[in-house]
Amino acid sequence: MSKRQVVLIEGDGIGPEISAAVRDIVDAAEAPIEWVAADAGLGAIERTGHGCPQETIERIKAVGVALKGPTTTPVGGGHKSVNVTIRKALELFANVRPSRTLPGVKAPIAGVDLIIVRENIEDTYGGIEHMQSNDVAQCLRLITRPGSKRIARYAFEMAAAQQRKKVTCVHKANIMKITDGLFMEMFYEVAKEYPQIEASDIIVDNCCMQLVSKPGQFDVMVLPNLFGDIVSDLCAGLVGGLGVAPGGNIGDGRAVFEAVHGSAPDIAGKNMANPTAMLLSTIAMLRHMGFLAHADMIERAVIATLESGKRTRDLGGELGTREFAEAVCRQISQATAITGYTVAASAGSFTRAADAVTSVPAGRALKGFDFFVEHTGIPAMPAKVGPFDLKMVSNRGSKVFPGPTPDIVLVDVHRVRYEAAGQVSDGDVMAAVAELDKSFKWMHIEKLQDFCGKAGYSLAQGQ
């Protein structure tokens, strides 16, 4: 039986321990896997200065499939997240997080069986942020048409393949009308191609409330990056925590499966870590690679082990990492040997030609610009500059001009909106900015455009 290579990134903290447990269990099931070692995390930083060296990225590209242990991500500084680096470098656009109640695992709600499909590249995770002034930090949120369409199609394709009945788009389009509005628009555009699957949408805050009260109403959920990150952890809590939460990151012909919990350096080397999350991710990886019988054998062994009451300490049991792995291996040894195996094709592209970047609409028209000014107190902006009329000044998202000044704390950056009665040119905008530059210290500008009569910017007050 020929073996298939899988890149193994052990990670740091408890990563090496749970990786060793998983290797033992995969070997016990005689899955045809050849592990290829690669480095990322704190050890890679010490060795190369980078959390995820380019050689690791190239190794995953060459092999096509990787299994990753947890890596430490510093908060508020330090190196960039290894997870984010890998996802972006390999364009792993779909983060898939199943949440299913496991027997023998204490959970607040029984019978949960749903899948989170999270867009994995865009949103605020682009890391495009900077200090505008001493008072104001800014982060840009990017939602794109092809990115939204691609993740929606993946969700529907996966739902169809797994005979799921419903896909729900989770969003905040009532507030973020343009970014989440585009995400939801692409969702329903793709949904038309899958009439056999029910399509619906829900606002993210209501979604969270519904999940903790009636999770059975959800089947497959597709979300932008930030909301997907938060809601997927909420769903993990419904089934027992991150210790039993698998995860996979899927791209076109590439996939990285991982334990989604942290590296837990406080218990590293103490034989206390729970390997279940990484093991469940390994089962998903084996299915992705087509080794269905081996995946089923390991899954049955894990369930049988949990049902028998053999659990790690975090799940209320008494077993250490090695002892739990040994218990799963014993269950495998009692199972019927696999005499053959199925190899299916790796996940291919779910992107279609229609999902590609679209051309610029012929009806696009430049209408004005937002001018970000650093100023103490509300700036006295000219009512007119060139062909543009002053429409609004806002501070921290609240309109402060025209009309009565709201009772709010002002910071030193204001957004000033200028609009023209008709279409204008880039030259008109630059001339207006040059005129304003004589009297005001400005940070940046944003052009305001109509797209075939549909405003590409929010006209709501205070937005």
Side-chain angles (χ1 to χ4, degrees):
M1 181 183 296
S2 59
K3 292 189 174 183
R4 290 271 300 278
Q5 288 188 329
V6 171
V7 174
L8 178 62
I9 301 170
E10 292 187 344
D12 43 62
I14 61 172
E17 295 170 78
I18 62 175
S19 295
V22 165
R23 285 199 308 270
D24 289 344
I25 293 167
V26 169
D27 289 346
E30 298 183 350
I33 298 298
E34 177 186 342
W35 301 107
V36 179
D39 198 10
L42 297 179
I45 292 175
E46 293 174 359
R47 185 174 62 84
T48 69
H50 299 282
C52 186
Q54 186 60 33
E55 64 190 60
T56 296
I57 297 296
E58 295 303 324
R59 196 162 295 172
I60 299 173
K61 286 181 180 179
V63 172
V65 182
L67 179 66
K68 179 187 166 295
T71 50
T72 302
T73 301
V75 177
H79 65 273
K80 184 177 180 180
S81 164
V82 173
N83 293 339
V84 172
T85 300
I86 290 175
R87 293 167 188 172
K88 287 183 172 294
L90 299 172
E91 192 70 13
L92 304 177
F93 64 88
N95 179 237
V96 181
R97 293 274 298 273
S99 291
R100 181 161 64 102
T101 302
L102 294 173
V105 176
K106 185 178 180 180
I109 300 177
V112 176
D113 184 11
L114 57 86
I115 302 176
I116 296 288
V117 178
R118 164 191 170 193
E119 199 288 318
N120 219 12
I121 303 295
E122 302 181 348
D123 204 345
T124 55
Y125 284 65
I128 307 172
E129 57 179 4
H130 59 274
M131 294 299 299
Q132 279 192 319
S133 71
N134 186 59
D135 284 350
V136 180
Q138 181 185 53
C139 176
L140 297 183
R141 182 176 195 247
L142 301 179
I143 302 290
T144 71
R145 188 178 303 273
S148 301
K149 206 167 186 179
R150 179 170 61 175
I151 196 64
R153 187 173 306 286
Y154 185 90
F156 279 100
E157 288 282 349
M158 189 191 69
Q162 298 191 17
Q163 298 182 328
R164 298 266 178 169
K165 301 183 182 300
K166 181 179 180 180
V167 179
T168 302
C169 174
V170 183
H171 61 86
K172 193 66 176 175
N174 58 326
I175 302 299
M176 291 178 281
K177 300 178 186 298
I178 296 178
T179 50
D180 271 27
L182 177 62
F183 189 85
M184 187 166 63
E185 178 187 345
M186 292 301 97
F187 170 81
Y188 279 115
E189 184 174 313
V190 171
K192 295 175 183 177
E193 302 176 33
Y194 302 85
Q196 77 280 16
I197 300 174
E198 179 185 351
S200 65
D201 69 89
I202 187 170
I203 296 172
V204 64
D205 41 339
N206 183 31
C207 173
C208 292
M209 188 271 289
Q210 296 288 337
L211 278 168
V212 299
S213 57
K214 296 184 292 183
Q217 65 186 289
F218 298 105
D219 198 354
V220 175
M221 305 165 71
V222 60
L223 307 90
N225 205 341
L226 178 59
F227 297 157
D229 193 1
I230 296 167
V231 173
S232 58
D233 275 16
L234 186 154
C235 291
L238 295 179
V239 298
L242 292 177
V244 292
N249 302 283
I250 314 298
D252 291 340
R254 300 166 183 163
V256 177
F257 297 84
E258 63 182 348
V260 298
H261 55 69
S263 57
D266 56 320
I267 62 169
K270 297 180 180 179
N271 192 38
M272 296 172 60
N274 181 2
T276 304
M278 192 167 181
L279 186 52
L280 294 176
S281 300
T282 303
I283 292 168
M285 180 194 76
L286 291 171
R287 290 198 173 112
H288 170 82
M289 299 176 71
F291 299 129
L292 308 182
H294 297 87
D296 290 346
M297 173 180 281
I298 296 173
E299 184 174 55
R300 287 194 299 268
V302 172
I303 290 174
T305 302
L306 293 171
E307 284 180 328
S308 70
K310 295 182 175 66
R311 298 185 292 273
T312 50
R313 294 178 181 88
D314 61 310
L315 299 180
E318 298 179 352
L319 300 185
T321 310
R322 290 187 297 272
E323 290 75 22
F324 180 79
E326 290 167 358
V328 174
C329 289
R330 281 195 296 273
Q331 289 288 345
I332 290 174
S333 68
Q334 297 168 14
T336 304
I338 297 174
T339 57
Y341 64 101
T342 303
V343 177
S346 296
S349 172
F350 288 100
T351 305
R352 300 183 182 176
D355 299 342
V357 179
T358 54
S359 58
V360 177
R364 186 172 78 169
L366 181 59
K367 303 291 290 185
F369 63 98
D370 278 346
F371 185 74
F372 290 78
V373 176
E374 183 177 2
H375 194 277
T376 301
I378 300 173
M381 305 301 298
K384 190 174 184 67
V385 54
F388 303 98
D389 295 313
L390 175 63
K391 295 295 184 182
M392 179 184 70
V393 179
S394 69
N395 190 284
R396 296 173 62 226
S398 296
K399 190 181 73 166
V400 296
F401 176 86
T405 303
D407 186 16
I408 63 170
V409 175
L410 295 178
V411 295
D412 59 359
V413 172
H414 306 259
R415 183 181 62 164
V416 181
R417 173 159 292 177
Y418 281 99
E419 291 184 34
Q423 184 173 348
V424 292
S425 68
D426 287 344
D428 293 326
V429 172
M430 296 311 296
V433 171
E435 182 63 27
L436 293 169
D437 181 55
K438 296 176 182 177
S439 304
F440 300 96
K441 182 179 180 181
W442 59 281
M443 327 307 293
H444 72 277
I445 62 170
E446 296 280 353
K447 296 194 295 184
L448 308 178
Q449 304 182 78
D450 279 347
F451 292 86
C452 301
K454 180 179 179 181
Y457 53 97
S458 172
L459 294 176
Q461 293 183 355
Q463 293 190 3

